[in-house]
Amino acid sequence: MSQSPIVLTGDRPTGPLHLGHYVGSLRQRVTLQEQYRQFVMIADAQALTDNMGDLSKVRRNVIEVALDYLAVGLDPAKSTLFIQSQLTELAELSFYLLNLVTVARLERNPTVKEEIRLRGMERDIPAGFLTYPVSQTADITAFKAALVPVGADQAPMIEQCNELVRRFNNCVGKEILVEAQALIPDHGRLVGADGGAKMSKSLGNALALSADSAAIAAFVRSMYTDPNHLRVSDPGQVEGNVVFTYLDVFDPDKAAVEELKDHYRRGGLGDTVLKRRLTEHLEALITPIRERRAQFAQDPAEVMNILRQGTERAREAAAATMSEVKAALGLSYW
Ligand code: ATP
Ligand code: MG
């Protein structure tokens, strides 16, 4: 009997989840939970790899991320929601996997390189940060997850994960760990309002899924458009214009967006009209999420209880893999 693939994914509790998470991964998870056994991890231990100087931020945001999960429709009866640091199995598996990767390979990971640059850590990279792709491999493989719904920035992580899986299985001469496939949505990664870097909690360019109307309006107002489009009558540029990037993602009426693009290129269409349209779409998306979130937020003890139960279920799965891993490594003695 072939078993349905297992899904694992997660987020770092470094801030409330934002629109990038929604299009990059959360939306897919809500669909996947209907069909698959899905584990969703709050990656607090991974968050510490670049936040040892701000421990309270990570601690505080665990519940915020959990609230975002529940608000977007992750259902604890269908998805196992858990906290990474509470499973020592994950740290243990990382410890063994670290022996199967070279420092040079870790330094070549393009996402890690980019993150180091954006965080200005070139001179002082914590070893834990450099090796977080290995820890992420442990998170995925401890659950034998075959599907990982993530944003485009995570593709190199899954590649590195699979290298480690092959190396591990080769090393022990058995197929113990499972290769994973990234499920990356078409839109790839959502940029921030300035159109430069990807929207990210750590870069302060994000619109939270819990944003109120004023924050949504301010976010859209600050969006980069075409700096040469000075008068409404001027022809404008659509490429690189963040408002259009967002309309492509968030406006369900694709034909209308194409017409707006033509109009904008010809001239005669102002930024204000476009921004108003985008603001309405974002309001329609975020308002129900914000309302559900406020409801769950009334009972934080219940939210923590959901996480505790999920963590217990997750531990069983990870512990089963760890016994296989240790036996395969010859590390079982009695
Ligand atoms: P941090 O800045 O702390 O790294 P982050 O905003 O990058 O936070 P993560 O917790 O690292 O968020 O990422 C969680 C998931 O969300 C990953 O699957 C990632 O690919 C996806 N994701 C994050 N930002 C975006 C984005 N801008 N567009 C699409 N997907 C994203
Ligand atoms: Mg990130």
Side-chain angles (χ1 to χ4, degrees):
M1 196 181 73
S2 76
Q3 276 196 326
S4 129
I6 292 169
V7 181
L8 176 123
T9 181
D11 306 273
R12 296 152 38 99
T14 49
L17 299 185
H18 53 65
L19 278 180
H21 297 112
Y22 187 75
V23 298
S25 173
L26 290 175
R27 194 162 53 177
Q28 294 202 74
R29 301 179 200 176
V30 176
T31 314
L32 289 166
Q33 70 179 351
E34 299 301 331
Q35 231 183 315
Y36 299 104
R37 180 155 186 228
Q38 176 166 258
F39 294 91
V40 181
M41 178 180 81
I42 301 184
D44 58 343
Q46 190 192 110
L48 293 189
T49 61
D50 58 337
N51 286 289
M52 286 302 277
D54 203 350
L55 296 170
S56 65
K57 176 173 87 178
V58 174
R59 180 67 182 84
R60 191 173 65 238
N61 278 299
V62 168
I63 187 143
E64 298 302 323
V65 170
L67 284 170
D68 287 327
Y69 284 167
L70 297 168
V72 297
L74 285 176
D75 176 352
K78 296 175 181 165
S79 294
T80 301
L81 311 179
F82 73 98
I83 304 181
Q84 182 189 27
S85 63
Q86 302 307 295
L87 301 193
T88 48
E89 289 81 1
L90 303 179
E92 196 181 1
L93 182 52
S94 304
F95 190 66
Y96 299 124
L97 293 176
L98 278 168
N99 301 323
L100 296 169
V101 67
T102 63
V103 173
R105 174 65 180 96
L106 288 165
E107 284 171 342
R108 274 201 310 275
N109 183 306
T111 299
V112 177
K113 262 197 197 157
E114 167 79 353
E115 287 174 335
I116 286 171
R117 194 182 61 77
L118 290 171
R119 287 163 172 72
M121 295 195 303
E122 283 93 343
R123 283 167 202 280
D124 274 310
I125 310 164
F129 192 82
L130 192 65
T131 56
Y132 92 73
V134 178
S135 136
Q136 216 166 291
T137 300
D139 303 333
I140 296 168
T141 56
F143 296 93
K144 304 205 174 189
L147 296 177
V148 188
V150 281
D153 59 305
Q154 293 295 311
M157 302 300 166
I158 307 300
E159 202 181 303
Q160 207 169 349
C161 166
N162 289 338
E163 277 173 35
L164 277 165
V165 167
R166 287 191 292 270
R167 221 164 265 164
F168 180 86
N169 289 344
N170 250 326
C171 172
V172 300
K174 274 195 216 137
E175 297 294 303
I176 304 273
L177 302 183
V178 174
E179 285 193 45
Q181 185 198 336
L183 292 179
I184 298 173
D186 295 342
H187 297 299
R189 64 190 201 174
L190 193 67
V191 291
D194 59 0
K198 76 155 194 165
M199 180 178 284
S200 158
K201 300 184 222 98
S202 304
L203 300 178
N205 62 356
L207 182 65
L209 289 170
S210 47
D212 61 17
S213 299
I216 297 172
F219 178 79
V220 175
R221 231 182 294 120
S222 75
M223 270 185 179
Y224 180 87
T225 57
D226 172 1
N228 299 315
H229 185 241
L230 297 175
R231 283 179 302 258
V232 172
S233 56
D234 288 340
Q237 193 167 337
V238 166
E239 288 68 34
N241 186 319
V242 182
V243 180
F244 278 111
T245 309
Y246 272 64
L247 284 173
D248 278 336
V249 179
F250 295 104
D251 194 325
D253 190 344
K254 300 298 164 211
V257 174
E258 287 314 308
E259 268 173 41
L260 289 168
K261 286 182 184 171
D262 286 343
H263 193 173
Y264 196 77
R265 286 194 185 97
R266 282 198 309 274
L269 179 58
D271 287 351
T272 322
V273 175
L274 291 172
K275 286 188 168 178
R276 197 178 311 129
R277 183 182 177 102
L278 177 60
T279 305
E280 281 167 16
H281 283 306
L282 294 181
E283 275 283 357
L285 174 74
I286 290 178
T287 303
I289 297 177
R290 184 175 60 227
E291 286 171 0
R292 273 198 303 271
R293 194 182 201 281
Q295 273 176 355
F296 286 112
Q298 286 176 358
D299 193 353
E302 176 52 20
V303 176
M304 290 316 287
N305 199 29
I306 289 170
L307 293 179
R308 189 172 54 77
Q309 288 174 359
T311 301
E312 277 160 21
R313 278 207 301 279
R315 185 179 293 117
E316 280 173 33
T321 306
M322 259 334 277
S323 342
E324 281 185 70
V325 163
K326 285 179 90 171
L329 289 170
L331 304 176
S332 51
Y333 298 99
W334 40 75

